[in-house]
Amino acid sequence: MTAVNEQLLPVVAEIVTGLKHKPGALLPILHEVQNRLGYIPPDAVPLIAESLNQSRADIHGVISFYHQFRTTAPGKHTVEVCRAEACQAMGARQLEAHAKTTLGVDYHGTTSDKNVTLEEVYCLGNCACSPSVRINDEIVGRVTPEKFDQLIDELRSQTLEVL
Amino acid sequence: MTDSVTKSSVTTIYIPRDTTALAMGADLLATEIAAEAATRGETVEIIRNGSRGLFWLEPLVEVETASGRIAYGPVESKDIDSLFDQAFLTGETSHPLCQGLTEEIPYLKKQQRLTFARAGITDPVSLEHYQQLDGFNGLKKALQMDGQGIVDEVKTSGLRGRGGAAFPTGIKWQTVLDAKSTEARNGNQDQKYIVCNADEGDSGTFADRMVMEADPYMLIEGMTIAGLAAGADQGYIYLRSEYPVAHQILNEAIAKAEAAGFLGDNLLNSGKTFHLEVRLGAKAYICGEETSLLESLEGKRGMVRSKPPLPALVGLFGQPTIVNNVLSLAAIPYILSQGGQAYANYGMGRSLGTLPFQLAGNIKRGGLIELAFGVTLRELLEEYGGGTFSGQPMRAVQVGGPLCAYLPESQWDTPMEYESFQAIGAGLGHGGIVVFDNSVDMSEQARFSMEFCVAESCGKCTPCRIGSTRGVEVIDRIRNDDNRAANMELLEDLCETMIDGSLCAMGGMTPFPVQSAVKYFPEDFNQPKPAAKGSARS
């Protein structure tokens, strides 16, 4: 167990205590852990398992089943590119290739400056103004490669302001 | 955003907070319009409404005038100055972006909006707006009726599940009404559930999202009525996590409805109880399948359950459960307030009522079109859609999502209703229509269908889990011209195995887009195109 993860465990414990009374509490717990920490640290699994009276394998099985949950820290921003049919009809395949080249990573990868994690998504429901990407909780429509670069530049300049 | 009634001295401007409007810049636009109005000393009230569903015009800005609401769209930041200069606040209609009176825009005017009657008109979380436009009338009626009376009204409407399977909603409700829960069988209080399937994962569909973002109280009302009908006091909305805006709006609406007595204990002082909670999915297409969804709600992997037992009898936490799509539940308030027969007066054959069709992909005027069943696909594509976005000819249209067929032009005159589509080996699904122009490579689309199944199969049954992987490989060999004839035969055999052997629609329907691509677009697989009927081939 790393020192960093030890610091995270009290947060996990607090989340579990707050939510475990809910019927079918596991997904709400995993969502909240990922919301607060950015990912689900593997060290959180035994703690969640014990609180819900389930096996570690059960918890791991759920985490690994869903595309959303991750067990490593993501970049500062998550960028999801829609791969579904409506976006394909408007050039999503080219946009995907462009996104991977521009960021220098494949899906589930994080840029070397830890700023952006690239993910795939199957439909954001913005199908009449496709192709679409989601940047954190913001969805953007009619994304051309040029617009994609502009959006990424904005994310990079935001990081500089914070620093 | 406000609940206050419009004041006469103030000009009311509507700017949607719907996902698509936001994706096209509505938030920034609202801020800039407010700032520009302040600079010019104009007093405006900006209401963040839902979308009208005329998505090619988003952000669609509406100005309230004496003659009605006047629409401008699509509005960008660079247009703000000229809009103010050309006095758009006073009803002056000379600006090039002016679309005239919103209600008179032909795309909207020709629709038959029952479910989407309020969409885009109101502030989605304003209880006052909702009630001004007949909101909660259905619930008030339902509170005067017994469960059987409500179920009978739903049966009269002829409503069939709008999620894709098209099962009669009234019969499903009757089953749950008649079922006894485990608790009840043990002499304790009856426990049943209402589950709303809001895992709208099909590409090209956004009607559920629009309901939740433009008119969330309608869904809340529909679920509450379902609870009264079946004797369930707890409901869950299983919402996909890909819809962050809908999540926000639903939670706002539920909190307000609870505070005002439309949800919770003692509904409108009736002594009845109904609680509602939103639960988020976690990016798994299979969780749109009802039994996988229930597993997921129970905190498990979203693995398909074998049926029987039906979820109506053994559903969430083993109790009798109504699982309905957002659109099915959203149709309920109208059915209760206007009567089941009023709803059944729309449609054709055994497809009664309306279906919100969703035009998407490579289309000039994409959006939501609610019409009675029976309209043809061509009318939607040409009269409403106005052709492709790219200006190139249309080539293939996928109706009903990633598990349904690609249709060639020869099939576009088929009436949009369940039985006619079934007759041509296609499906309506959830009403999504995705248009492709002539740049599409149909062998690539067929490959994607299999690839999508690889990514999204729950893994429980072999034909779906392994068959899809083999499907990708076989199509790759065909695309690489490797032993083509034998591999085409193998692909057909594999498709049959998946259709016959899969546990649920994921593996069982994935072959439909593949088979339709092969059948109608053989040239993309380097196969000879069969002679068209009446062709001059000698």
Side-chain angles (χ1 to χ4, degrees):
Chain A
M1 190 186 286
T2 63
V4 177
N5 280 352
E6 278 176 19
Q7 290 169 10
L8 300 181
L9 287 183
V11 179
V12 177
E14 180 197 317
I15 291 167
V16 172
T17 308
L19 293 174
K20 70 176 182 185
H21 66 279
K22 280 180 177 272
L26 183 52
L27 258 67
I29 288 171
L30 295 177
H31 270 298
E32 191 56 25
V33 170
Q34 186 154 309
N35 279 347
R36 296 265 297 271
L37 306 179
Y39 69 112
I40 299 163
D43 296 336
V45 171
L47 204 163
I48 297 170
E50 199 178 329
S51 303
L52 296 182
N53 203 18
Q54 287 181 270
S55 74
R56 294 176 190 194
D58 283 337
I59 308 302
H60 173 75
V62 171
I63 293 169
S64 59
F65 181 86
Y66 294 96
H67 300 306
Q68 178 145 6
F69 298 131
R70 51 184 308 131
T71 51
T72 53
K76 188 173 165 59
H77 304 285
T78 301
V79 173
E80 296 168 83
V81 180
C82 181
R83 299 193 66 202
E85 286 88 345
C87 285
Q88 288 168 12
M90 289 293 284
R93 287 199 175 89
Q94 293 87 321
L95 183 64
E96 285 180 78
H98 177 82
K100 289 178 186 178
T101 311
T102 303
L103 296 171
V105 293
D106 203 343
Y107 287 126
H108 318 302
T110 300
T111 54
S112 52
D113 60 2
K114 302 273 185 255
N115 197 28
V116 175
T117 296
L118 184 66
E119 296 285 350
E120 57 197 330
V121 64
Y122 294 96
C123 200
L124 295 165
N126 189 39
C127 320
C129 292
S130 50
S132 303
V133 302
R134 175 173 172 180
I135 299 175
N136 304 321
D137 267 354
E138 189 187 343
I139 291 156
V140 187
R142 298 255 189 256
V143 182
T144 57
E146 297 72 41
K147 193 164 169 183
F148 184 86
D149 292 346
Q150 199 186 323
L151 292 165
I152 297 298
D153 283 349
E154 282 168 22
L155 291 184
R156 294 216 156 111
S157 58
Q158 276 174 28
T159 311
L160 287 176
E161 281 166 25
V162 174
L163 291 172
Chain B
M1 198 171 37
T2 174
D3 279 357
S4 68
V5 182
T6 309
K7 297 172 221 50
S8 57
S9 57
V10 182
T11 308
T12 305
I13 302 178
Y14 294 86
I15 304 173
R17 60 184 290 204
D18 160 278
T19 293
T20 298
L22 295 177
M24 300 308 287
D27 263 351
L28 180 63
L29 193 71
T31 311
E32 289 176 342
I33 286 179
E36 186 62 28
T39 306
R40 294 181 183 236
E42 303 275 6
T43 316
V44 298
E45 180 195 34
I46 295 179
I47 292 181
R48 301 304 299 271
N49 55 331
S51 176
R52 300 275 192 163
L54 313 181
F55 285 138
W56 80 98
L57 292 175
E58 294 291 6
L60 181 82
V61 175
E62 290 178 78
V63 178
E64 183 97 63
T65 71
S67 51
R69 281 159 69 162
I70 295 180
Y72 301 83
V75 180
E76 295 178 53
S77 299
K78 64 177 173 55
D79 305 313
I80 294 175
D81 258 347
S82 60
L83 283 168
F84 276 95
D85 287 347
Q86 295 187 38
F88 85 130
L89 291 182
T90 60
E92 171 59 47
T93 59
S94 60
H95 196 277
L97 293 179
C98 183
Q99 306 290 328
L101 289 168
T102 316
E103 307 278 353
E104 296 297 319
I105 298 174
Y107 194 98
L108 188 60
K109 193 179 186 184
K110 290 191 291 180
Q111 296 191 31
Q112 293 162 303
R113 287 198 166 188
L114 308 182
T115 301
F116 284 83
R118 273 177 299 264
I121 296 177
T122 56
D123 170 354
V125 293
S126 163
L127 279 165
E128 194 179 344
H129 285 189
Y130 185 62
Q131 291 176 90
Q132 279 165 2
L133 294 177
D134 301 330
F136 293 121
N137 288 354
L139 175 61
K140 286 171 191 158
K141 273 205 184 163
L143 283 168
Q144 311 298 319
M145 300 160 78
D146 64 359
Q148 189 59 56
I150 299 171
V151 171
D152 288 343
E153 208 60 67
V154 176
K155 283 182 183 167
T156 304
S157 74
L159 179 69
R160 292 164 71 179
R162 296 293 190 251
F167 186 81
T169 304
I171 292 177
K172 187 184 276 186
W173 286 25
Q174 184 74 58
T175 309
V176 180
L177 171 61
D178 294 340
K180 283 238 181 312
S181 70
T182 315
E183 282 88 346
R185 288 199 297 273
N186 294 334
N188 298 320
Q189 202 185 353
D190 213 9
Q191 179 63 60
K192 298 175 183 177
Y193 296 102
I194 309 298
V195 171
C196 171
N197 183 344
D199 192 67
E200 182 176 53
D202 289 352
S203 183
T205 63
F206 41 77
D208 291 354
R209 177 180 68 66
M210 265 191 74
V211 165
M212 296 183 281
E213 293 179 0
D215 203 3
Y217 294 120
M218 175 173 55
L219 176 60
I220 291 169
E221 183 181 352
M223 289 186 74
T224 309
I225 293 169
L228 295 172
D233 64 2
Q234 176 69 48
Y236 291 98
I237 298 173
Y238 185 87
L239 175 68
R240 65 203 312 260
S241 59
E242 290 88 340
Y243 284 180
V245 179
H247 189 211
Q248 169 73 25
I249 292 177
L250 278 176
N251 279 337
E252 281 178 42
I254 288 172
K256 282 195 172 189
E258 270 175 3
F262 293 105
L263 271 178
D265 297 323
N266 196 17
L267 291 169
L268 297 176
N269 298 318
S270 64
K272 303 279 176 60
T273 300
F274 190 70
H275 294 278
L276 189 53
E277 185 182 331
V278 180
R279 286 288 177 92
L280 275 188
K283 285 174 94 176
Y285 178 78
I286 192 60
C287 290
E289 194 281 333
E290 63 176 354
T291 62
S292 296
L293 186 157
L294 294 174
E295 292 284 302
S296 185
L297 260 181
E298 291 179 7
K300 303 171 192 162
R301 288 183 284 171
M303 309 257 301
V304 172
R305 294 177 185 171
S306 300
K307 288 191 278 193
L310 296 170
L313 299 171
V314 183
L316 185 63
F317 303 115
Q319 306 304 333
T321 303
I322 289 178
V323 186
N324 275 151
N325 175 256
V326 172
L327 291 181
S328 316
L329 291 161
I332 298 297
Y334 177 91
I335 289 168
L336 264 290
S337 74
Q338 305 297 313
Q341 192 53 50
Y343 192 78
N345 288 341
Y346 291 86
M348 67 179 278
R350 287 169 47 220
S351 304
L352 298 180
T354 58
L355 187 63
F357 300 100
Q358 299 130 77
L359 264 184
N362 199 327
I363 189 85
K364 199 168 171 185
R365 295 197 296 258
L368 181 123
I369 302 149
E370 183 177 353
L371 286 169
F373 287 97
V375 60
T376 68
L377 184 54
R378 193 183 297 278
E379 282 176 77
L380 293 173
L381 296 172
E382 293 175 1
E383 287 177 32
Y384 288 85
T388 60
F389 185 85
S390 63
Q392 297 300 307
M394 286 183 196
R395 181 151 184 252
V397 180
Q398 189 175 33
V399 178
L403 304 180
C404 288
Y406 285 96
L407 308 182
E409 185 172 2
S410 60
Q411 294 182 329
W412 296 351
D413 295 307
T414 312
M416 305 281 288
E417 60 101 25
Y418 297 118
E419 275 69 36
S420 303
F421 261 61
Q422 203 179 1
I424 61 164
L428 280 186
H430 183 56
I433 299 168
V434 178
V435 180
F436 291 81
D437 73 4
N438 60 3
S439 65
V440 67
D441 176 345
M442 294 305 296
S443 69
E444 199 169 30
Q445 295 312 120
R447 185 191 191 278
F448 177 78
S449 297
M450 289 291 188
E451 193 190 348
F452 183 65
C453 188
V454 173
E456 299 295 342
S457 171
C458 85
K460 186 160 184 166
C461 71
T462 315
C464 176
R465 183 182 69 246
I466 307 291
S468 53
T469 299
R470 296 292 170 261
V472 172
E473 293 165 0
V474 174
I475 295 172
D476 276 345
R477 289 201 291 272
I478 292 167
R479 281 165 59 86
N480 290 330
D481 208 9
D482 173 1
N483 213 351
R484 179 183 310 278
N487 278 309
M488 289 297 288
E489 205 174 314
L490 189 59
L491 179 61
E492 183 54 31
D493 190 49
L494 175 66
C495 284
E496 292 300 330
T497 304
M498 288 176 74
I499 291 169
D500 296 338
S502 297
L503 260 181
C504 81
M506 179 88 220
M509 290 175 69
T510 287
F512 294 161
V514 178
Q515 289 176 321
S516 65
V518 170
K519 184 172 179 189
Y520 298 113
F521 305 92
E523 63 274 28
D524 287 14
F525 298 80
N526 282 321
Q527 300 288 307
K529 195 170 181 150
K533 266 184 209 165
S535 81
R537 204 177 74 149
S538 56

